Amino acid sequence: MTSVISEAGHLPAAFTSFVGRRREVAEIRRFLGSARLLTLTGVGGVGKTRLALETATASRKAFADGTWLVDLAPVREPKLVASAAATALGVPDLGARPVLEQLAGYLAGRRALIVLDNCEHLIDACAELAQTLLSAAPELRILATSRQTLGITGEHLIDVPPLASDEAVELLRDRTVAVRPEFRVTDANRAAVSRLCDDLDGVPLAIELAASRLRTLTVEQVVERLEDRFTLLTGGSRTARPRQRTLRAAIDWSYELCGPAERLLWRRLSVFAQGFGLDAAEDVCSGDGIDREDVLDLLDRLVSQSVVLPTEREGLPGYRLLETIRRFGRSRLAESGEEQRLLHRHRDFHLALAERLSDGWYGPGQREALTRLRAEHGNLQAALDCGDDPQVTLALAAALRFHWGVGGFLGEGRRRLGRALTAAPEPTPARARALLAASWVALLQGDPPVADQWLNEAAELSERLDAPVLRAYVQGFRGTSARLRGNLKEAASLQEGSADAHAALGERRGFGFALYQLAITQSLLRDPRAAETGRRVLAIAETHGERWGRARALWALGYDAWLRGDRTEAIAWIRAGLETERGFNDCIGTAQLLDLLAWTTADDGDHERAARLLGTVRALCRAMGTHDSEQHARCQEAVVGSLGPAAYERALAEGGRHDRPDLAIAYALGSGREPATAPAIVPPSPLTRREREVAALVAQGMSNRRIAAELVLSPRTVDGHVERIRTKLGFGSRAEIAAWWVVNQVPTP
């Protein structure tokens, strides 16, 4: 900041306007009422000095004995810190006592505020100065600015964040008008201006340097040249401190203040495309100069120096680097010769993560797995783009199948899998897994022809590799393809065969998957076995803590109940399915449940709500094309006929505002009237009353003989009950019955 000395208040008067930061100024002033040492921390160029001076200026009336700026930027020797402070306050050095002691005596009894600016390169000396002065002067307040905390007792910290988007745009406009008076932010350039500010992380120094380039370049040209931002963003004020004249100089200053190990970690962290977790930093960045157990301590030091920022990603704790900080580190990493090795470690970490989450999919933790993958999406993209080993890329693309298919990335998944399969044509197990993933994604998008092409190759590969599990999956997916093409009997036959094959192989995950696909097909066929199959899927899912397949089975049961005209039961199943879908970000599954709820609601006579629900379905399915099933079309026709076209469009638009799965589910479950006799959300049990009693006692660890005594039955009768329970639930052991009962306790009437 360029300034001159003002006689009133001992603070420099600014040459430029102060943009934004009103909330931060108010917060700092509030803290100064109670905190005696307040340190503003933040990345270089974020505006700590300007914010401190604006706050001090606004607070002058509260400090009757004066407000002073002590600028330590020119000071190089720690022993000169006290002298610099005395000079700023106008305290003469009479030589009889140490300067620090004279300064403390001068401030004792005074109500004053000192802005101690640019402390980071003199941390120990600044800490000693603050400790001594605050001990001697009870009414003194110190507002320090530093890229690193002072680390003394009583210090309060405020991290100065980058500017909010609207404030960043206003700063760019204000500074650009100063060098190019005709500049305006208009509808035509607003998107480019916002992108420029976002790409510069909202850091004021970077924005002001960019504004100086707008004297001769357009906003779009500056955005295009940001790949080489350190060359572009030069030409700051000639009267500014050297480290504030260019973006590189500002970041260089922070880099030089770090120790060797901290610089090494900074360079290595630059391989993360977005944020990262502690586990990722430990795995990717340790070794060759950094012990794994030292990573956390080094991260803490980089956080305290405002290089690394703590953050949350999808609700998960983690860290991030501002893009400018990351790019600086990446350039230093390239210079070090370590870049390629670190990129491989980054890729391998995310491959191991994806494979671990995929292998553990069929069980508890599905939503948590998808949350982690969403948080890592940028890093996963970077890992997939590390393309010097096509087989590894293929393996990663395949391991992400649930991220693509359930997490809301169908389009990207299809493109990534297609490219990976083209780049790695060798007949490997990795290709087999990728073919299955690609066919599933195509089926989810409603594209059987493409899926069939992948499945035909997968079938040939399953024979070549002698992979019976692969064959079972191919058979099941061919059943899904047949269903989408309208060949329901063929679909049921294929899916039954797939379920049997998985069962024979002891492949429980594939068995559950095939069974829920069969339940859907049987519902569409109006097969009376649909409800029984759906309940078996529920029982298996409950046993293993699996939720996504459970939601699919609940849709099948709801559809079966709707076909039978039992709207009360249908709504119970649908609502249970929507509750189960929470947290998955599954557009397709959520849309199917909401569509079915709309049909049921329309049948119940509530056409207004049905129209709103159809609006949520349309919004969720927009990226996949028109949702035009026969039942959907009939429901739409009935609703339009009841409401009229204009009212229907209004209701449709209202529902369409809930265009994400979480919003749509909350809207559907929280609006509209409930049926007067709505059943409990817990789905009905496939067991009889007596079988439920027996299952409850099995869950308590009782033997058949003890159960017989407890229920006053013959042991042979109890044996028969236990056998029927196993058959109905698809279980092979008493432990599975017990686990199912614990998570699915259905009261006996």
Side-chain angles (χ1 to χ4, degrees):
M1 183 198 72
T2 305
S3 59
V4 296
I5 298 298
S6 168
E7 291 297 324
H10 314 288
L11 294 174
F15 281 152
T16 56
S17 60
F18 182 65
V19 176
R21 301 285 198 201
R22 299 302 172 190
R23 183 186 60 79
E24 287 92 339
V25 169
E27 182 182 16
I28 297 168
R29 294 186 67 184
R30 180 172 58 82
F31 268 107
L32 286 173
S34 56
R36 301 191 58 215
L37 172 60
L38 186 61
T39 303
L40 306 185
T41 63
V43 68
V46 82
K48 300 181 292 295
T49 297
R50 186 63 187 272
L51 177 59
L53 290 174
E54 288 294 326
T55 304
T57 300
S59 304
R60 279 183 298 187
K61 290 183 180 180
F63 299 97
D65 295 312
T67 54
W68 289 276
L69 168 67
V70 178
D71 183 5
L72 297 174
V75 180
R76 289 291 174 267
E77 296 293 330
K79 63 185 179 182
L80 298 179
V81 168
S83 296
T87 300
L89 270 66
V91 177
D93 180 5
L94 302 179
R97 293 178 297 163
V99 174
L100 182 55
E101 192 176 324
Q102 296 178 57
L103 189 57
Y106 174 79
L107 289 169
R110 294 178 185 267
R111 182 166 179 78
L113 171 65
I114 294 176
V115 176
L116 198 60
D117 193 30
N118 293 292
C119 301
E120 55 268 355
H121 60 303
L122 301 161
I123 285 294
D124 291 339
C126 289
E128 181 185 3
L129 175 70
Q131 184 78 52
T132 302
L133 297 184
L134 291 170
S135 297
E139 294 299 309
L140 175 67
R141 300 289 189 271
I142 294 179
L143 179 58
T145 74
S146 178
R147 303 185 193 189
Q148 184 175 357
T149 62
L150 300 188
I152 64 176
T153 302
E155 180 183 25
H156 288 66
L157 303 175
I158 290 184
D159 182 60
V160 179
L163 290 171
S165 295
D166 57 339
E167 293 178 347
V169 168
E170 176 57 22
L171 178 65
L172 183 73
R173 185 205 64 78
D174 182 88
R175 299 302 190 258
T176 304
V177 166
V179 298
R180 187 176 169 183
E182 73 277 11
F183 179 80
R184 298 290 184 273
V185 178
T186 65
D187 290 342
N189 68 4
R190 189 178 306 278
V193 168
S194 296
R195 181 182 170 190
L196 174 59
C197 293
D198 289 345
D199 286 352
L200 294 174
D201 302 308
V203 173
L205 173 62
I207 291 171
E208 291 183 339
L209 292 171
S212 71
R213 286 295 187 189
L214 292 176
R215 180 188 293 109
T216 55
L217 298 176
T218 67
V219 176
E220 291 78 9
Q221 287 174 318
V222 173
V223 170
E224 290 171 2
R225 291 168 180 261
L226 280 184
E227 281 297 317
D228 192 11
R229 63 186 62 198
F230 296 112
T231 300
L232 177 70
L233 300 181
T234 59
S237 171
R238 290 189 178 90
T239 60
R241 301 183 186 101
R243 65 173 181 266
Q244 291 184 324
R245 294 178 191 171
T246 71
L247 187 61
R248 180 178 291 279
I251 308 305
D252 260 328
W253 175 249
S254 291
Y255 189 73
E256 293 304 319
L257 291 172
C258 294
E262 294 159 0
R263 295 178 196 170
L264 180 58
L265 183 59
W266 179 348
R267 294 196 297 268
R268 291 178 177 178
L269 290 173
S270 69
V271 297
F272 291 102
Q274 292 180 335
F276 54 91
L278 176 59
D279 60 337
E282 289 175 330
D283 194 273
V284 175
C285 300
S286 62
D288 297 323
I290 299 178
D291 291 337
R292 186 182 183 90
E293 57 269 22
D294 292 336
V295 171
L296 177 58
D297 183 56
L298 290 170
L299 269 175
D300 282 342
R301 285 190 238 162
L302 289 175
V303 169
S304 73
Q305 294 177 74
S306 305
V307 174
V308 173
L309 304 178
T311 189
E312 281 194 357
R313 303 172 303 146
E314 297 288 333
L316 301 175
Y319 305 89
R320 72 184 180 98
L321 302 176
L322 292 180
E323 182 61 16
T324 297
I325 297 293
R326 190 186 75 83
R327 286 178 181 266
F328 179 91
R330 190 64 171 269
S331 68
R332 291 300 181 101
L333 183 67
E335 292 169 5
S336 74
E338 274 201 314
E339 185 177 31
Q340 203 59 33
R341 184 177 69 84
L342 264 293
L343 287 172
H344 288 164
R345 295 194 67 170
H346 174 273
R347 178 200 62 196
D348 293 345
F349 171 83
H350 289 95
L351 172 60
L353 173 69
E355 289 183 334
R356 184 173 72 250
L357 295 178
S358 176
D359 292 343
W361 174 258
Y362 195 75
Q366 291 176 331
R367 284 182 286 198
E368 292 78 7
L370 291 176
T371 297
R372 177 66 190 271
L373 292 173
R374 280 199 300 273
E376 300 292 352
H377 187 70
N379 285 310
L380 294 169
Q381 290 175 314
L384 286 164
D385 290 334
C386 182
D388 57 352
D389 189 335
Q391 287 295 327
V392 174
T393 302
L394 190 65
L396 177 56
L400 291 172
R401 57 188 174 278
F402 296 110
H403 182 55
W404 308 134
V406 185
F409 297 96
L410 277 175
E412 181 176 353
R414 183 163 176 172
R415 291 190 297 273
R416 291 283 189 179
L417 285 161
R419 286 202 293 266
L421 285 164
T422 300
E426 297 81 7
T428 62
R431 183 170 182 83
R433 291 189 292 272
L435 287 167
L436 281 182
S439 62
W440 184 48
V441 166
L443 290 170
L444 288 172
Q445 290 186 312
D447 193 349
V450 169
D452 289 343
Q453 292 177 18
W454 297 129
L455 289 171
N456 289 338
E457 183 183 348
E460 294 174 6
L461 198 52
S462 71
E463 298 299 329
R464 185 169 182 173
L465 297 174
D466 190 21
V469 173
L470 176 59
R471 281 197 294 271
Y473 273 109
V474 168
Q475 186 175 11
F477 283 139
R478 279 177 164 168
T480 303
S481 178
R483 185 180 73 217
L484 291 175
R485 286 184 275 106
N487 301 329
L488 297 182
K489 290 184 178 179
E490 177 189 352
S493 176
L494 287 166
Q495 287 160 352
E496 284 178 359
S498 176
D500 291 343
H502 282 295
L505 293 165
E507 219 277 316
R508 194 174 299 276
R509 171 170 154 177
F511 175 69
F513 190 84
L515 210 59
Y516 94 71
Q517 293 283 358
L518 176 60
I520 294 171
T521 302
Q522 287 176 335
S523 296
L524 294 170
L525 278 169
R526 304 196 181 205
D527 188 323
R529 297 173 296 173
E532 179 185 349
T533 303
R535 288 187 172 95
R536 285 184 69 191
V537 176
L538 285 185
I540 295 170
E542 294 290 359
T543 299
H544 298 284
E546 200 275 346
R547 301 193 64 80
W548 182 73
R550 180 179 189 270
R552 308 279 74 69
L554 288 165
W555 178 88
L557 288 165
Y559 185 77
D560 179 71
W562 176 74
L563 286 174
R564 290 187 281 102
D566 191 335
R567 293 194 293 273
T568 296
E569 183 182 336
I571 288 176
W573 292 120
I574 296 166
R575 289 179 63 85
L578 289 169
E579 288 285 1
T580 304
E581 278 279 3
R582 286 186 189 272
F584 278 114
N585 201 39
D586 178 10
C587 289
I588 294 176
T590 302
Q592 289 174 336
L593 284 159
L594 290 171
D595 208 23
L596 181 55
L597 183 59
W599 310 344
T600 309
T601 303
D603 289 348
D604 212 25
D606 191 346
H607 294 98
E608 176 76 22
R609 187 181 180 219
R612 294 196 297 270
L613 290 169
L614 290 173
T616 66
V617 173
R618 183 174 71 171
L620 292 174
C621 294
R622 187 169 289 130
M624 297 176 291
T626 306
H627 195 99
D628 57 357
S629 71
E630 182 182 345
Q631 295 92 336
H632 180 91
R634 284 205 301 266
C635 176
Q636 183 177 10
E637 184 179 350
V639 171
V640 172
S642 174
L643 299 179
Y648 170 72
E649 287 297 331
R650 286 194 298 271
L652 205 65
E654 180 183 340
R657 289 186 285 117
H658 308 276
D659 56 357
R660 296 201 316 266
D662 56 339
L663 296 177
I665 290 170
Y667 178 68
L669 294 179
S671 64
R673 64 183 178 85
E674 298 300 319
T677 58
I681 292 302
V682 176
S685 169
L687 307 182
T688 66
R689 180 179 183 278
R690 178 64 79 186
E691 288 166 350
R692 294 199 297 273
E693 291 176 340
V694 172
L697 297 177
V698 169
Q700 295 176 28
M702 291 187 184
S703 66
N704 285 5
R705 188 170 295 278
R706 282 194 61 194
I707 294 171
E710 182 76 19
L711 298 179
V712 194
L713 297 171
S714 72
R716 180 173 294 183
T717 299
V718 174
D719 290 344
H721 283 312
V722 171
E723 201 55 43
R724 283 191 291 275
I725 291 169
R726 287 177 176 173
T727 300
K728 287 184 178 182
L729 300 182
F731 295 156
S733 70
R734 299 171 71 85
E736 290 179 301
I737 296 174
W740 175 80
W741 182 262
V742 168
V743 297
N744 195 42
Q745 295 181 40
V746 182
T748 55

